[in-house]
Each structure stands twice: as structure tokens, then as C-alpha cells.
Amino acid sequence: QQLERKGNGCKSLSLFSLVKTTRTMFSNDQKIDAANDLLREAKQYADLRLQRLKLDFVSKLTLLLSALVVSIVLLVVFAVVFLFVAYTLALAMAPHVGGLHWACAIIAAGGIVLGTLFYAFRRPLIVQPLTNFVARLFLEKDTEDDDDNEEED
């Protein structure tokens, strides 16, 4: 505050000084309020982005787990079907190869060959498609994100 000396030695505030000080204080209060509002908005935005990130993660994890459950169920079903088909094939081959034990041995050898081929080509059959699925699931942008960003512009 600026003080002005009067001729009688008393100190008093000039009107100009008082208005200027009040305006500066009011201006600073507005700036502080604006900064507080900005911080409040930034915190709310960060909270919303975190919430959306959590929801996206849960959604993608649910999709991944459901694909895993479906794959396991299909694997079990195909394994049972394979066993029945193999047993039926062994029964059909038994009279032609000298008995059921030789037919079962031939079917087992065929299963070993199929298993070896499956193991040899596991990268292009299992690893690469699974990697592509997970990468596409977690790394690609959602089409909803693109639509939201276009609406904001």
C-alpha cells in the first residue's frame, strides 16, 4: 500500500492507491479462482480418462478370457470327437490289419505323426495368430475413440 504524507504528519491512503490495490487484489483473486477451476477440470479429466482406461481394460480382458474359455471348450469337444473317430476307425480297420491291437497301434502312430506335425508348426498355427489377436485387442485404437475425437474437433 502506498502511503501519502499530509502536511500535518498524518498518514493516509490516497484514493488512487486504494482503487489500484483493490483492483490488483481482485485481479489476483480471479486468477487464483481461474487456476483452481483449471486444476479442478484437469483433475476431473484425469479421473475420467483413468476410469475409461479401467473400463477399456476390463472390456478387453473379458473378451480375452471369453475367447480362452471358448477355445478350451472347443478343444475338449474336438478331443472327445477325435477319440471316438479314432476308435471307430480302429474298429473298421481291425479285420483288414490282423486284429484290433494292430489297428489301435496304427491309429496311435497316426496320432503321434499328427502331434509331431502340430508341434513343428506351432508358431504359424498357434503362436502367431494368438500374438496377432492379443496385439490387435490391446494395441489398436477403438473405432469408438476415433468417433469421439472427431466429434470434439
Side-chain angles (χ1 to χ4, degrees):
Q1 295 178 354
Q2 297 179 358
L3 297 176
E4 190 177 325
R5 291 208 176 257
K6 296 270 183 181
N8 57 3
C10 293
K11 298 180 182 177
S12 67
L13 290 173
S14 70
L15 183 59
F16 176 73
S17 164
L18 185 62
V19 168
K20 185 178 177 184
T21 303
T22 305
R23 188 179 326 140
T24 305
M25 286 175 50
F26 185 68
S27 176
N28 285 338
D29 288 343
Q30 283 181 336
K31 289 177 184 176
I32 290 171
D33 289 342
N36 285 338
D37 290 343
L38 184 62
L39 285 174
R40 199 174 309 116
E41 291 286 330
K43 183 183 181 307
Q44 183 181 12
Y45 178 75
D47 289 342
L48 288 173
R49 292 296 289 185
L50 181 63
Q51 185 69 21
R52 182 173 179 181
L53 181 68
K54 288 178 184 178
L55 289 173
D56 284 345
F57 178 74
V58 167
S59 171
K60 290 177 180 187
L61 186 63
T62 302
L63 191 71
L64 185 64
L65 290 176
S66 67
L68 181 67
V69 168
V70 167
S71 297
I72 289 172
V73 168
L74 287 176
L75 181 68
V76 169
V77 168
F78 284 130
V80 169
V81 168
F82 178 75
L83 288 175
F84 281 116
V85 168
Y87 185 68
T88 303
L89 189 58
L91 286 176
M93 286 176 34
H96 304 292
V97 294
L100 187 59
H101 59 283
W102 287 111
C104 286
I106 292 170
I107 297 296
I112 290 171
V113 168
L114 282 176
T116 304
L117 286 173
F118 186 76
Y119 182 77
F121 294 107
R122 72 186 178 278
R123 289 202 190 277
L125 292 175
I126 301 294
V127 175
Q128 199 61 39
L130 186 61
T131 303
N132 291 340
F133 173 70
V134 172
R136 188 172 50 251
L137 183 66
F138 283 103
L139 298 180
E140 284 187 357
K141 278 193 159 191
D142 293 337
T143 56
E144 296 171 7
D145 289 346
D146 296 338
D147 293 342
D148 291 344
N149 290 338
E150 289 175 2
E151 290 175 3
E152 290 174 3
D153 292 340

